[in-house]
Amino acid sequence: MTPLDDQLFDAPTPVMVLVRPQMGENIGAAARAMLNFGCARMRVVAPRDGWPNPKATTMASGASPVLDRAGAFDDLPAAIGDCDYVFATTARGRGLTKPVLTPEHAMKQARAMVAQGKRVAVLFGPERAGLENHDVARANAIITVPVNPAFYSLNLAQCVLLVAYEFARLGADTPPEVLAMAGTDFATAIEREKLGDHFEDRLEHAGFFAPPEKAQNMRLNLRNMWARLALTRADVQTLHGMLRQLARKHGGQ
């Protein structure tokens, strides 16, 4: 990423609005969390220690371009005046009649809206007590993270990271699971078949298939096991080598 990568900063992502943030370090950490997941649009409302904030820049490190382009506002109405839909993050009940969503469901809605050209904002409150009721009242819906009810306080940057991650995850084509092959391939069917033959031969020699009436089913279970295991060619070669070594140690062929 280059500091002047306009494509990233103009990408259709939610605007992360930090309302009255107190510590510059948390603002910088929030910028890093945003950029980790491709969200670069930040707005800062009445930061306690003024703006720009040197501590935020230091903490942001490589994400300082997010801070450089962040909008600074004196109050929340000005910060969200051009937004079509606003989410407020809070862990506490507010006695307000609003939809309450998980981060995943909220960001699913956000993706649909930004795809239609809508501007979506997510509000994050100050570190000490979070958003005030008058802040939440200006939002269309609430995002609540399902955290431990005995300890529900989230750091500002952590909360930003959760929301940004969900937004990015819902638009990613990364498969949920991949297997790193480390320079080898899966064993072919014939390679697994020969391994099975080798094992059966050694097990037969050791008297494993007993009593005779159970031998056929035991062989079947072994074949099923080889097919079920995701063996690589390296695995097969290692197992052949182990069997050969065991045979040598015990006077076999």
Side-chain angles (χ1 to χ4, degrees):
M1 198 274 298
T2 60
L4 298 178
D5 189 345
D6 289 331
Q7 282 190 328
L8 176 62
F9 286 89
D10 293 338
T13 61
V15 178
M16 306 299 186
V17 183
L18 310 188
V19 182
R20 299 183 298 279
Q22 295 169 298
M23 297 179 63
E25 292 88 344
N26 283 333
I27 302 172
R32 293 184 66 170
M34 289 169 57
L35 203 54
N36 280 150
F37 298 105
C39 295
R41 302 166 72 188
M42 174 186 282
R43 294 181 182 180
V44 183
V45 178
R48 184 190 65 184
D49 297 333
W51 195 257
N53 186 308
K55 291 182 178 180
T57 302
T58 300
M59 187 67 184
S61 187
S64 58
V66 173
L67 303 180
D68 295 339
R69 299 192 181 200
F73 297 84
D74 293 330
D75 56 51
L76 182 56
I80 61 174
D82 62 342
C83 295
D84 300 292
Y85 200 90
V86 178
F87 293 98
T89 60
T90 178
R92 296 182 285 116
R94 300 299 185 135
L96 300 172
T97 303
K98 290 183 187 294
V100 180
L101 294 76
T102 63
E104 178 183 16
H105 192 60
M107 291 303 97
K108 188 178 296 185
Q109 290 190 6
R111 277 208 161 270
M113 286 185 279
V114 298
Q116 297 171 357
K118 306 292 187 183
R119 179 162 291 172
V120 176
V122 184
L123 310 183
F124 301 88
E127 295 89 325
R128 183 181 61 83
L131 295 167
E132 300 290 342
N133 274 7
H134 62 82
D135 300 318
V136 179
R138 290 185 164 86
N140 300 95
I142 290 172
I143 298 174
T144 294
V145 179
V147 295
N148 176 8
F151 188 70
Y152 57 77
S153 177
L154 279 176
N155 173 270
L156 171 60
Q158 291 173 329
C159 193
V160 172
L161 184 143
L162 282 170
V163 172
Y165 165 74
E166 287 294 349
F167 185 84
R169 182 181 68 83
L170 291 165
D173 57 3
T174 305
E177 180 178 340
V178 294
L179 181 62
M181 297 301 291
T184 188
D185 297 317
F186 282 119
T188 64
I190 189 63
E191 288 168 335
R192 292 195 304 271
E193 186 75 17
K194 290 181 178 180
L195 178 65
D197 292 341
H198 195 175
F199 260 92
E200 287 189 21
D201 179 67
R202 298 316 312 158
L203 291 171
E204 182 72 46
H205 184 76
F208 176 77
F209 296 112
E213 61 270 21
K214 293 185 178 181
Q216 183 176 353
N217 195 52
M218 294 169 73
R219 292 176 190 274
L220 179 64
N221 288 339
L222 282 171
R223 293 291 172 170
N224 184 53
M225 182 180 71
W226 300 128
R228 191 171 66 248
L229 297 176
L231 294 171
T232 66
R233 287 181 166 174
D235 294 332
V236 169
Q237 292 168 3
T238 299
L239 289 167
H240 277 302
M242 292 164 61
L243 290 172
R244 286 191 290 269
Q245 183 65 21
L246 286 171
R248 283 193 290 269
K249 286 290 185 180
H250 292 86
Q253 298 299 319

